[in-house]
Amino acid sequence: MAVLHQYDYVFAIGTFFAMLDAYNNGANDVANAWATSVSSRSISYRWAMILGFVFEMLGALLVGARTADTIKNGIIPNSAFQNNAGVQMLAFTCALAAASTWVMWCTRHSAHVSSTYSLISAVAGVGVATVGASKVQWGWNGGKGLGAIFAGLGMAPAISAGFAATIFMLIKVVVHMRRNPMPWAVWTAPFFFLVAGTICTLSIVYKGSPRLGLNKKPSWYVASVTVGTGAGVAIVSALFFVPWLHAVVIKKDYTIRWYHIFQGPLLFRRKAPADAEAHAAKVRNYAVVQEDEDDRSSTQSTKAVEEGPESSDDNEKNQVAVEAKQYTYKELVAQGEERLHAKLRLKRGPIGWAMRTLHNNPLGPGQVFEINNMKIIAKRIPAMIVVGALYGINYDIHAAQTGIAGTPDGERMKRVYAHAKKYPNETEHTYSFVQILTACTASFAHGANDIGNAVGPWAVIYSAWHTGSAAASKAPVPLWQLAVLSATISLGLVTYGYNIMKVMGNKITYHSPSRGSSMEMGAAITVLLFSQYSLPVSTSMCITGATVGVGLCNGTYKAVNWQRVGLLVLAWIFTIPIAGTLGGVLMGIVLNAPHFR
């Protein structure tokens, strides 16, 4: 059948909102998936953006075609549209518009919601407005109906919490509870590389991408490739990573560099400097702090002033220090952002130029359309574009994530952190590398699962527009659509993910590499488990459930910020009626709008 050129505008609008939905998915869900790695200081925010970009696209392109079928055909059967391709295009365009608008609003206000359930709810609302409630698949429908999908709302966080808690308790018993945990951490590292490597391989091979034909392979082939690849990762880590880590953590060789890892077992013969034992191991400090360096230096100087000799000048300084503690929460947040902006203005390159341009060219008095203001706006627009593209990768996540010291939020997080046992940096350093691998696995799993959110409805719109038929229920998702939306997801992570990441991670419980790697492995296993059965599940819910599960492994419920968890659960619950209502109302208005005949 011919292309429906009379509905080109519907296809264009649907494409726009599909890309917006994918962008929001990256800014909301993917940012939350990487929040644990950044929170644990296992990886810098910039490297998290780079690896997230790569593995999101790999997961979407290799595995992401399966869950799209559930969104396309599992909620509203194609037969309900009575082969009216135009109405079908309009229905899924309205669903994408409602879901993407709601998630964008939530992301702008740092509210963590599920883009998966937002879209599913919008599709259901559109289905009610289009073909009636009786045509919507409310039940299980062979694992593809709303009943099966929303069952994940309760199951996914609980399952993820169980997996993550089990993995962390294994690390805790095998390593952390030992009298000398560092050797145990070094020598057991290959096992956790084995687990992470197997999970990643499993996501590709087991019921793998139809384009690779892996789903047609026999069971023995699937098992051997999966286990063999995981074992290969473990062997490589044992040959190269373990000797390098042994030199850094056990020998405390402060002269070792990252490129020495390629020497492998020869590093066991490498002699450490004579004074190595007198030095601490050259590893990162993984402790979570409430302030950044500037805040701490300011606090120390204030303390010095308070302890100094009494004089008129000292009294004035003390008065200033006291008054500084009386800022409101919003004022403290604004001060923190201004400190970040001041640092960015000192940078070289595009971001420094853009921040200086915006700072030095504020709008003048009068209305926007004044000639002077119009000239200033012409200068500001290029700088605003540069800031929009680069601000995210330069954002100080650690300073924004743990709470503002001295405020109720900061005090709450101090109480939560006090109930979490802190493990030696040398031990945690081992799991920072495992966590990087698990974070990449989690990102791969997200790309495999959540690409179906936006690409499912967009594939329906494209198929109906391109063929002029609404009956192509089993039409495959074109690879170019997966590529476009996976790139858009990654773009959302890089440019706007900081807005969600700053309220996640350490805002729920105390993070460290061993905890974070357990959270990510637990979430990745859960996402892949649901994905293999073509059930869309929220990655955000999985990682949140895993975070709570690991937090409870501290032995007390006080180690979890239940206020933040409660807000997240409320946001998830309210997403369902709000997104569904938005989609249904929008579709009802457009479908029944008065028009000339």
Side-chain angles (χ1 to χ4, degrees), residues 261-286:
I261 194 172
F262 297 107
Q263 295 182 16
L266 295 177
L267 289 175
F268 287 122
R269 299 182 179 181
R270 178 187 174 97
K271 293 184 178 180
D275 60 343
E277 288 297 328
H279 292 77
K282 190 178 180 181
V283 298
R284 184 178 301 171
N285 182 13
Y286 295 100

Side-chain angles (χ1 to χ4, degrees), residues 32 307 558:
N32 184 43
E307 294 177 353
K558 295 180 180 179

